[in-house]
């Protein structure tokens, strides 16, 4: 069903180019599957979500390693951002406002007094246009596009966005999020919010999974999870994952688990840098994440309680998120790496996920 409307859209796009307005409004919500070797991923153009990602364990047994839902209806009602593409500015903006070139922009508060993941109707709550779907071949991929208008959720300027999901073979997947600011400068911070459980989405908690995070500094937060603006060393804190250890090994020193941004070591503009490695000893699955972004948010689903796929109830610590990103609340901290994209400039966030077994 979805494919019919997609090809109809394609012909319009070919004739009128990107200005074929009405096309995205007619776009139907569909599910798009990519398969290469033993890795398969299901995606939807509703919020450009990852619905499932299936990879083998050390015995060759396939398992779905991301949390999610069985129906699009549940994604529409979701408040956890399972597998979502969040934006225009993912993570938090304190006080739901920021000043850019002397103008104050007021957003919609949806997390206490602050804005989280772009606001109540951010990019994970809109229908994206399917620009390309190539399920076969060496590098199966799908391209989702979205045109965010000036003033949407309070943000300045039109922004043209695409997300490309691609399988590269050898159990590798890339996600590339690009955006172009058309007439006004705007902050942009697009994030993939997959909830990973390498033991399987319905296997229980991730406390015994081993993790290494390549960040020797992190950005401490206040009680509302807003960064103080400091960038401090992990040395001597429960945030130190420079050497691999289990997720739960220092939980007793924390109030609720992890929800914190790391500054990735060695990160530089547009340079692909290793952010983290997770290893689940029971299944043998290993996931390595690299990115060209300066930060990674480590979240251990601390308050999760949600019915998901197959009726399974996901409880606190049922998964971990490793959201590569610009730093949370960067627009209100001039010392953080800038997220401002000026008119005519582009934003480019690349993520590489490598799956293997040990
Ligand atoms: C897929 O998994 C099977 C069973 O473990 C293995 O024999 C095969 O080599 C794998 N295929 C690829 C392309 O990795
Ligand atoms: C919608 O989400 C809320 C909050 O997670 C949940 O309590 C409710 O059961 C959901 N409703 C449906 C129809 O899924
Ligand atoms: C905002 O200010 C910056 C730095 O002064 C400048 O480079 C940019 O062009 C300005 N953007 C707009 C839209 O005025």
């Amino acid at each position: 069903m979805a494919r019919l409307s997609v090809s109809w859209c394609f012909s319009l796009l070919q004739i009128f180019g990107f200005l074929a307005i009405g096309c995205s409004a007619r776009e139907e919500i569909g599910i798009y599957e990519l398969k290469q070797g033993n890795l398969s991923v299901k995606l939807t153009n509703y919020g450009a979500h990852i619905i499932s990602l299936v990879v083998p364990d050390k015995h060759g047994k396939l398992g779905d390693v991301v949390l999610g839902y069985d129906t699009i209806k549940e994604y529409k009602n979701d408040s956890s951002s399972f597998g979502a593409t969040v934006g225009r500015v993912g993570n938090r903006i304190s006080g739901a406002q920021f000043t850019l070139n002397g103008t104050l922009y007021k957003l919609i508060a949806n997390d206490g007094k602050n804005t989280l993941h772009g606001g109540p109707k951010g990019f994970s709550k809109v229908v994206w246009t399917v620009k390309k779907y190539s399920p076969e071949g060496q590098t199966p991929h799908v391209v989702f596009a979205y045109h965010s208008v000036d003033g949407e959720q309070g943000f300045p300027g039109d922004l043209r966005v695409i997300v490309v999901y691609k399988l590269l073979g050898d159990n590798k997947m890339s996600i590339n999020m690009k955006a172009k600011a058309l007439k006004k400068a705007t902050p942009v911070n697009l994030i993939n919010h997959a909830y990973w459980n390498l033991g399987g989405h319905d296997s229980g908690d991730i406390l015994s999974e081993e993790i290494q995070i390549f960040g020797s500094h992190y950005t401490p937060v206040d009680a509302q999870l807003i960064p103080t603006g400091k960038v401090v060393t992990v040395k001597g804190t429960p945030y130190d994952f420079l050497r691999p250890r289990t997720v739960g090994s220092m939980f007793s020193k924390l109030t609720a688990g992890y929800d914190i941004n790391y500054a990735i070591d060695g990160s530089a503009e547009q340079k692909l840098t290793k952010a983290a490695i997770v290893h689940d000893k029971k299944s043998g699955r290993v996931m390595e994440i690299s990115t060209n972004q300066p930060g990674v948010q480590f979240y251990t689903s601390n308050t999760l309680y949600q019915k998901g796929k197959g009726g399974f109830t996901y409880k606190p610590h049922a998964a971990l998120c490793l959201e590569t990103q610009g730093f949370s609340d960067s627009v209100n901290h001039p010392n953080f790496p800038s997220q401002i994209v000026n008119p005519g400039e582009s934003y480019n966030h690349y993520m590489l996920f490598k799956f293997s077994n040990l």
Side-chain angles (χ1 to χ4, degrees), residues 37-38 59-60:
N38 288 323
H59 305 295

Side-chain angles (χ1 to χ4, degrees), residues 111-169:
D111 185 57
K113 286 186 232 153
N114 311 309
T115 300
L116 178 63
H117 295 333
K121 201 172 189 319
F123 292 177
S124 61
K125 297 286 180 196
V126 299
V127 181
W128 295 56
T129 301
V130 183
K131 270 191 79 181
K132 194 168 178 201
Y133 178 41
S134 176
E136 315 283 334
Q138 286 294 99
T139 54
H141 57 281
V142 63
V143 181
F144 297 136
Y146 181 64
H147 185 120
S148 174
V149 298
D150 186 13
E152 191 170 321
Q153 300 290 293
F155 289 100
D158 283 54
L159 188 75
R160 200 180 275 173
V161 188
I162 65 164
V163 175
V164 184
Y165 288 98
K166 189 182 277 186
L167 300 186
L168 306 168

Side-chain angles (χ1 to χ4, degrees), residues 192-209:
N192 178 270
H193 210 309
Y195 281 65
W196 305 99
N197 186 326
L198 296 185
H201 78 99
D202 55 357
S203 67
D205 69 63
I206 43 76
L207 300 183
S208 66
E209 292 187 11

Side-chain angles (χ1 to χ4, degrees), residues 59 87 98 127 154 170 183 188 200 202 205 229 250 266 282-283 334 343 352:
H59 305 295
F98 62 93
V127 181
D170 206 16
K183 292 201 184 103
V188 179
D202 55 357
D205 69 63
M250 285 178 101
K282 272 180 262 168
S283 66
L352 180 64

Side-chain angles (χ1 to χ4, degrees), residues 36-39 56-62 170-171:
Q36 163 65 271
N38 288 323
L39 178 68
D57 68 8
K58 62 183 169 190
H59 305 295
K61 193 172 155 250
L62 298 176
D170 206 16
N171 291 332

Side-chain angles (χ1 to χ4, degrees), residues 236-251:
T237 77
Y239 298 101
D240 186 349
F241 285 99
L242 288 168
R243 284 155 188 263
R245 61 182 171 87
T246 62
V247 172
S249 50
M250 285 178 101
F251 253 50

Side-chain angles (χ1 to χ4, degrees), residues 292-311:
N292 64 356
Q293 293 297 295
V296 60
Q297 185 84 14
F298 178 42
Y299 174 55
T300 47
S301 13
N302 306 325
T303 55
L304 185 61
Y305 203 93
Q306 179 64 54
K307 204 172 114 198
K309 287 184 240 187

